[in-house]
Amino acid sequence: MPHDHDDHHHDNELDPMAARVRALETILTEKGLIDPQAIDVIVDTYETKVGPRNGAKVVAKAWSDPEYADWLKRDATAAIESLSYTGRQGEHMQAVFNTPDTHNLVVCTLCSCYPWSVLGLPPVWYKSPPYRSKAVIDPRGVLVEFDVILPETTRIRVWDSTAELRYLVVPMRPEGSEGLSEEQLARLVTRDSMIGTGLALAPEAA
């Protein structure tokens, strides 16, 4: 049966972990234990609703409210929780602020620890061995691969996320964003900019 053969062929193109997840999902679906549509809703929620929009709102508030920015620097866990963004893999947070002198980059060298409740689902590349190793060895080279070209005078600081502590990069507020509301500012914040592999968008690009 050609259709079944094609499905099998596509499954072989998945990485081992994705293939195992696909097989487990198929078994649980066949047993009536899960609803694939419900899973799709959960995934969409983490990808587009829970995060990274939550993190973007945190950054926007830090940009527009100096007192909140100071709180975020001192106790990111409490500051983020005050906006009701807490939960799975986001209980203990530290915010690191980009400046003209220092650019922050987040990686998890051991696995793929990531603040789901703030940034949503981790991108595939974040979990890949090449990113996890090169981010530590050659962070400037990694940024170039993401089209982030920084002055040679800008220091790049790499933060290793762990099961105990996860990081949120607060990108620099872009020029020309003065006078924008927090909602408008949040649209300038991308997921990559909160990992450190990107910059905030210019107002005209949002």
Side-chain angles (χ1 to χ4, degrees):
M1 297 192 292
H3 181 70
D4 290 342
H5 176 74
D6 287 344
D7 285 346
H8 182 69
H9 172 72
H10 290 310
D11 283 348
N12 285 341
E13 294 178 355
L14 299 173
D15 63 71
M17 180 58 73
R20 291 178 65 184
V21 171
R22 174 74 62 82
L24 181 60
E25 180 181 348
T26 299
I27 293 171
L28 294 176
T29 300
E30 290 175 349
K31 291 181 176 293
L33 298 176
I34 63 171
D35 179 354
Q37 291 184 338
I39 292 178
D40 290 342
V41 170
I42 293 172
V43 171
D44 178 69
T45 297
Y46 270 102
E47 286 184 336
T48 64
K49 297 182 178 67
V50 173
R53 292 301 87 202
N54 288 352
K57 292 175 182 177
V58 171
V59 172
K61 187 169 183 62
W63 282 347
S64 56
D65 184 343
E67 290 187 3
Y68 181 79
D70 182 62
W71 187 16
L72 192 63
K73 289 178 182 177
R74 291 184 287 104
D75 189 349
T77 302
I80 293 171
E81 187 174 359
S82 74
L83 300 180
S84 300
Y85 304 146
T86 187
R88 180 172 179 171
Q89 299 199 40
E91 292 84 354
H92 305 289
M93 297 288 300
Q94 179 175 337
V96 290
F97 287 65
N98 284 350
T99 69
D101 299 322
T102 303
H103 182 92
N104 297 285
L105 178 66
V106 179
V107 65
C108 180
T109 56
L110 294 179
C111 48
S112 57
C113 294
Y114 191 81
W116 285 34
S117 58
V118 181
L119 297 185
L121 294 175
V124 174
W125 53 260
Y126 182 84
K127 299 178 286 184
S128 69
Y131 173 77
R132 286 156 51 190
S133 60
K134 190 172 182 180
V136 175
I137 299 171
D138 182 19
R140 192 173 296 273
V142 166
L143 293 178
V144 170
E145 293 178 7
F146 282 90
D147 296 321
V148 177
I149 312 299
L150 299 175
E152 288 296 327
T153 54
T154 299
R155 173 195 180 199
I156 301 174
R157 185 167 184 181
V158 179
W159 300 86
D160 194 355
S161 186
T162 69
E164 289 75 31
L165 184 63
R166 293 169 174 82
Y167 296 92
L168 169 69
V169 174
V170 179
M172 289 191 295
R173 181 170 177 166
E175 295 183 4
S177 63
E178 299 79 9
L180 296 183
S181 67
E182 284 187 22
E183 181 179 351
Q184 291 171 319
L185 288 171
R187 297 178 193 147
L188 307 181
V189 184
T190 67
R191 177 201 63 195
D192 287 7
S193 71
M194 292 182 285
I195 299 174
T197 54
L199 305 176
L201 299 175
E204 59 271 17

